[in-house]
């Protein structure tokens, strides 16, 4: 067993030989790593990128390619939304909840417009139009969608709402893959040296400075000297059950990890040299309950027949709050005016039906006067255009009073609750990995889901926040690593 | 700035001189440290104990001196409770929820009876009687009380209930101080060398082994050689706002930290040599809402007028679930048969009264048909002896239908929600501090609230679990440190 076999750092003096020599070594080839490479090369540094899979992608390539951008983009302006840096920044902080990193929110709030331009400069295409409605990802090639809880309580009262989800021009779902492809091409064209099937296993240290990284290629350890810096861009720990058990056990309530070998290695490597994993209990989850779109008009109740949130919030916020409810499931209630067959993929089943809400309640074996009382109360006020309990807003607020009625079951174990982790290394707004006292660890940078970033709080997540974080702070990681 | 000024370990080679030399160095003089000292001395080791305050106590001395013990104690047997190791262990695991450490639960489940005898052997007196009722601490010198959620759903269905809170014989509240006094006397009598006003600032390492500790005394650094082991027994991090912000931000919802300089130093020292802080987001909180005891018969609703728990659970579990509710407060509803003036200390205020629940609801400015509907539903079923929503049990389950009615406000900010942190270093059932790969760090042991132990999950806490953990695993820390 070598010194670094358990992610322990290898002192530079014990390195047997240098197999690779570079200025900046980047670990991980999702959007974060690609953006870091582009900036480090642009700054003139020699850059090597090591990826454990056989190609680029990571979790980024599994995403919708949507980036949370605000403050007055072309697409926002063209659609008549008057977004400001102040409202945008305020929303970022609200979305971070008790975990918000104000410095990161402030910087991204100020610089998101130039980041958007930078993305375009790399070749990322945007059609520039706005697609209204409650949408997870556009099924056409539209740009701008509502992708968060901006227009829902309590957010709308604290920051003027605007849609901020900016999606790469790409027909249909799955814009993440073409987004990463464009960034990869750019990184390659700029001269990044890319090594795939190369798994990082330890950092190399010279005193308190990170001086390189050990990567395993063809089952042999290779020693990489990084004269200026190492960038960790390895994603979260959604595929590491032991880490989830220790740091994020609530995530075992749900069932479908999203990621590509996200085993937390970057967090472990960072921690091995004094990095500080924070907010490790936080995770994103969502069940695609707003597809078909009619379902977005539904009302959620828990197994006690109680509503628990204004359902006009972002589907992920609603889903995360659902997972807090006791009993392992929640019900999405719909009337005949809003019911169509749920998406097969979602694993959402019909649990009860009835000509009245009382019949639905009985079919779910709930005590009489629970779900039915909730729905009578809801409908009475919805007909008046208000939701005195949770402040759900029009146009999502609608009475559900056209019989027959249906209760769909969103079961945390058997429905499709996809999830990924949000906790990770504490980094500065300059993407420096900080130690437990808040000091930067010389030579070490990180971004994306191996850090705690813009999407810090599961209950506040909005679509596009993680890719915003990956691409924006990935760039800073590359820029600052190149400075040495 | 010296190398160890930020909790960084000091390599042994850089130690200028040894000011103290011992086999076992213990940091912290609460119940954990005292028990570690007793066992280490009993095993024949030289023992020095360093405490940052001017005397023993820590958070232990601020407690009720109640220890969670089951499996068939004299007091349980005398009162006719037929507790078993299996039910006791099962409850310990349920109480740990998603954070449970099965190995620790199994060991304590098996050995709690001998631990109880050991406590008696140290001189801790127990009267041996059972005091029925819903009690936070006995106001007389009784031994055994219900101190958890054993008889409440869902626990009673999964482990046969028995009372397990064993309180030192001591008139009135505050048994923690005499408990620590007895343990201190015993530790001193056995020849523990005690240094107070001595604050640990760094560990000393020899390779991967912990070989000593740096303590600051009279503002000078003193170097302590520990030939066999160092025991961390420094408590949690409830008084360290920066740590709370990074690891336990939800705790900022509540207001009254319990502890004695619990600044997380043990966690930081452990992490500085590769220790693994886990479940750092977990915290205990309680508001003394069951005093006067009549209030224990109340019903809680959130600001939406919804019940959220079976109120016969342990007051701390109810309080922790309350703090999950939106709106910054919950209401405790009582009728005239169960209302007496709340405890001044509690900061619980009368928010609304009425001849009917509708009047109370209106006075709280809740929409008509919320709180009142909840109470009509509750009363209808309570009169039939059941609670179909939350399975609250008799005798706590009672209708609240004697007017006038009252709503007491438990406000997270202004009522007395005391709290302490539960996350900490991952340790083995032998009290070894484990690194992030699960391997023991040679020479380093820890117990009590600088570790994640028996009371791992805020929602499952039961009174006496932390002192059980402190005293029991404190002993193992001392025993195993003495083995070197």
């Amino acid at each position: 067993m070598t010194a670094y076999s358990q992610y322990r750092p290898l002192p530079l003096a014990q390195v047997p030989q240098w197999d690779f020599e570079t200025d900046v070594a980047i670990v991980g080839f999702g959007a974060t790593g690609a953006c870091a490479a582009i900036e480090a090369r642009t700054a003139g540094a020699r850059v090597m990128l090591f990826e454990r899979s056989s190609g680029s992608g990571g979790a980024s390539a599994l995403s919708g390619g949507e980036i949370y951008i605000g403050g007055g983009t072309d697409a926002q302006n063209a659609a008549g939304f008057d977004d400001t840096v102040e409202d945008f920044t305020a929303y970022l902080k609200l979305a971070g909840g008790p975990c918000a990193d104000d410095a990161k929110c402030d910087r991204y709030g100020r610089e998101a417009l130039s980041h958007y331009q930078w993305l375009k400069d790399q070749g990322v295409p945007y059609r520039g139009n706005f697609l209204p409605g409650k949408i997870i990802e556009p099924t056409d090639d539209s740009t701008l969608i509502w992708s968060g809880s901006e227009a829902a309580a309590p957010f709308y009262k604290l920051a003027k709402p605007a849609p901020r989800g900016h999606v790469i021009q790409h027909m249909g779902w799955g814009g993440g893959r073409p987004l990463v492809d464009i960034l990869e091409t750019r990184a390659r064209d700029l001269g990044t040296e890319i090594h795939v099937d190369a798994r990082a296993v330890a950092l190399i240290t010279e005193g308190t400075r990170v001086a390189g990284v050990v990567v395993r290629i063809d089952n042999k350890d290779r020693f990489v000297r990084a004269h200026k810096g190492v960038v960790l861009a390895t994603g979260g720990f959604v595929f590491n059950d032991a880490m989830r058990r220790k740091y994020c056990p609530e995530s075992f309530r749900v069932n479908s990890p999203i990621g590509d070998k996200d085993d937390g290695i970057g967090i472990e490597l960072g921690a091995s040299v004094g990095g500080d994993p924070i907010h490790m209990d936080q995770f994103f989850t969502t069940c695609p309950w707003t597809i078909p779109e009619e379902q977005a008009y539904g009302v959620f109740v828990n197994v006690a027949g109680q509503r628990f949130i204004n359902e006009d919030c972002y589907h992920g916020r609603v889903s995360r709050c659902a997972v807090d409810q006791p009993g392992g499931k929640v019900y999405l209630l719909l009337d005949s005016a809003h019911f169509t067959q749920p998406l097969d993929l979602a694993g959402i089943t019909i649990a009860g039906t009835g000509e009245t809400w009382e019949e639905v309640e009985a079919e779910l074996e709930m005590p009489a006067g629970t779900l039915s009382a909730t729905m009578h109360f809801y409908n009475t006020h919805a007909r008046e255009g208000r939701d005195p309990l949770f402040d759900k807003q029009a146009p999502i607020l609608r009475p559900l009073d056209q019989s027959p009625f249906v209760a769909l079951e969103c079961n945390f174990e058997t429905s499709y609750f996809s999830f990924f982790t949000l906790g990770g290394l504490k980094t500065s707004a300059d993407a420096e990995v900080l130690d437990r006292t808040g000091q930067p660890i010389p030579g070490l940078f990180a971004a994306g889901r191996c850090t705690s970033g813009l999407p810090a709080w599961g209950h506040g997540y909005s679509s596009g926040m993680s890719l915003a974080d990956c691409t924006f702070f990935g760039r800073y990681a590359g820029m600052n690593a190149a400075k040495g």
Side-chain angles (χ1 to χ4, degrees), chain A:
Chain A
M1 195 163 72
T2 53
Y4 49 83
S5 68
Q6 296 183 324
Y7 312 144
R8 291 212 185 90
L10 179 69
L12 187 136
Q14 295 174 27
V15 172
Q17 79 281 333
W18 293 117
D19 297 293
F20 300 100
E21 203 159 340
T22 186
D23 293 324
V24 175
I26 298 169
V27 184
F29 201 2
T32 305
C35 290
I38 294 167
E39 289 286 15
R41 281 299 298 147
T42 302
R46 291 173 296 167
V47 180
M48 287 187 190
L49 194 156
F50 300 90
E51 162 61 41
R52 66 180 287 170
S53 292
S54 300
S56 72
S60 305
L62 304 173
S63 77
E66 180 179 343
I67 302 184
Y68 199 83
I69 305 171
T73 67
D74 49 5
Q76 289 180 318
N77 294 337
F81 293 101
D82 181 29
D83 198 14
T84 65
V85 167
E86 290 67 33
D87 289 313
F88 172 48
T89 304
Y91 185 80
L92 291 172
K93 291 180 184 179
L94 292 167
C99 310
D101 183 322
D102 284 353
K104 289 183 184 174
C105 294
D106 285 332
R107 170 166 274 183
Y108 188 60
R110 279 193 312 270
E111 300 181 16
L113 289 180
S114 64
H115 181 56
Y116 185 43
Q117 185 57 52
W118 182 89
L119 289 164
K120 292 177 181 176
D121 292 345
Q122 306 317 304
V124 181
Y126 290 100
R127 184 173 146 196
N129 68 310
F130 169 61
L131 188 65
K134 191 95 172 174
I135 291 157
I136 293 184
E137 296 179 31
T139 49
D140 64 5
D141 64 346
S142 290
T143 296
L144 182 62
I145 62 171
W146 289 99
S147 73
S149 303
E150 300 85 356
F155 304 94
Y156 80 87
K157 290 186 278 195
L158 303 165
K160 188 180 169 194
R164 301 191 183 103
H166 286 71
V167 188
I168 181 173
Q169 183 167 16
H170 166 80
M171 280 307 293
W173 283 43
R177 182 70 256 175
L179 175 68
V180 175
D181 286 343
I182 290 164
L183 297 171
E184 172 176 357
T185 299
R186 181 77 177 141
R188 286 186 186 273
D189 288 351
L190 286 168
T192 304
E193 186 176 322
I194 292 163
H195 298 269
V196 297
D197 300 314
R199 180 164 68 88
V201 293
L203 293 174
I204 295 167
T205 51
E206 187 174 23
T208 58
R209 185 177 176 83
V210 172
V213 58
V214 185
V215 295
R216 206 160 282 168
I217 299 177
D218 291 336
N219 213 28
K220 281 189 198 150
D221 290 329
R222 303 292 182 165
F223 301 90
V224 183
R225 181 76 168 102
H227 288 281
K228 294 191 163 180
V230 170
V231 174
L232 301 172
T234 57
F237 57 99
V238 75
F239 284 111
N240 186 323
D241 279 7
M243 286 183 76
R244 283 173 61 203
R245 191 69 66 190
K246 290 194 292 185
Y247 312 120
C248 191
E250 294 286 348
S251 70
F252 285 97
R253 293 196 189 195
V254 289
N255 54 47
S256 300
I258 308 178
D260 174 29
K261 306 189 181 70
D262 300 60
D263 63 356
I265 178 68
I267 297 172
E268 291 301 331
L269 294 180
S272 78
V273 294
D276 189 7
I278 63 171
H279 304 316
M280 291 289 280
D281 56 305
Q282 293 297 320
F283 64 98
F284 160 86
T285 190
T286 201
C287 179
W289 63 271
T290 56
I291 304 173
E293 205 180 330
E294 290 83 354
Q295 285 182 191
Y297 298 92
V299 162
F300 273 101
V301 294
N302 60 23
V303 295
Q306 301 168 324
R307 286 180 70 209
F308 51 88
I309 194 163
N310 45 322
E311 298 87 354
D312 56 340
C313 286
Y314 170 61
H315 55 84
R317 176 170 161 82
V318 174
S319 299
R320 183 64 192 82
C321 290
V323 172
D324 288 334
Q325 302 300 309
K329 60 190 170 188
V330 295
Y331 297 108
L332 177 59
L333 308 179
L334 294 162
D335 69 357
S336 65
H338 297 96
F339 172 74
T340 52
Q341 192 63 30
L343 201 64
D344 271 354
L345 162 80
I348 295 174
T349 55
I350 295 177
T353 57
E355 292 301 315
T356 63
W357 285 117
E358 284 75 7
E359 284 182 25
V360 174
E361 176 180 81
E363 210 165 296
L364 298 179
E365 298 183 344
M366 285 184 175
T370 51
L371 179 151
S372 62
T374 296
M375 288 311 294
H376 291 308
F377 184 91
Y378 172 83
N379 280 333
T380 299
H381 296 92
R383 281 189 283 266
E384 298 167 358
R386 59 200 192 92
D387 172 15
L389 283 191
F390 294 100
D391 200 17
K392 185 174 173 174
Q393 299 291 303
I396 301 292
L397 175 70
R398 292 191 192 170
L400 299 174
D401 51 11
Q402 306 296 310
S403 73
F405 303 109
V406 61
L408 301 179
E409 177 174 327
C410 299
N411 185 295
F412 311 154
E413 281 183 25
T414 56
S415 304
Y416 180 65
F417 276 84
S418 59
F419 71 103
F420 55 83
T421 60
L422 298 177
L425 297 169
K426 184 166 171 63
T427 50
S428 70
D430 278 315
E432 303 156 309
V433 176
L434 303 177
D435 70 17
R436 297 179 66 89
T437 69
Q439 296 303 307
I441 296 168
L444 190 62
F445 303 83
R449 293 289 58 73
C450 65
T451 71
S452 175
L454 293 173
W457 184 48
H459 293 77
Y461 194 87
S462 300
S463 261
M465 278 202 176
S466 188
L467 269 187
D469 188 71
C470 291
T471 54
F472 183 73
F473 291 104
R475 291 176 57 202
Y476 271 101
M479 270 187 269
N480 289 319
K483 288 182 192 160

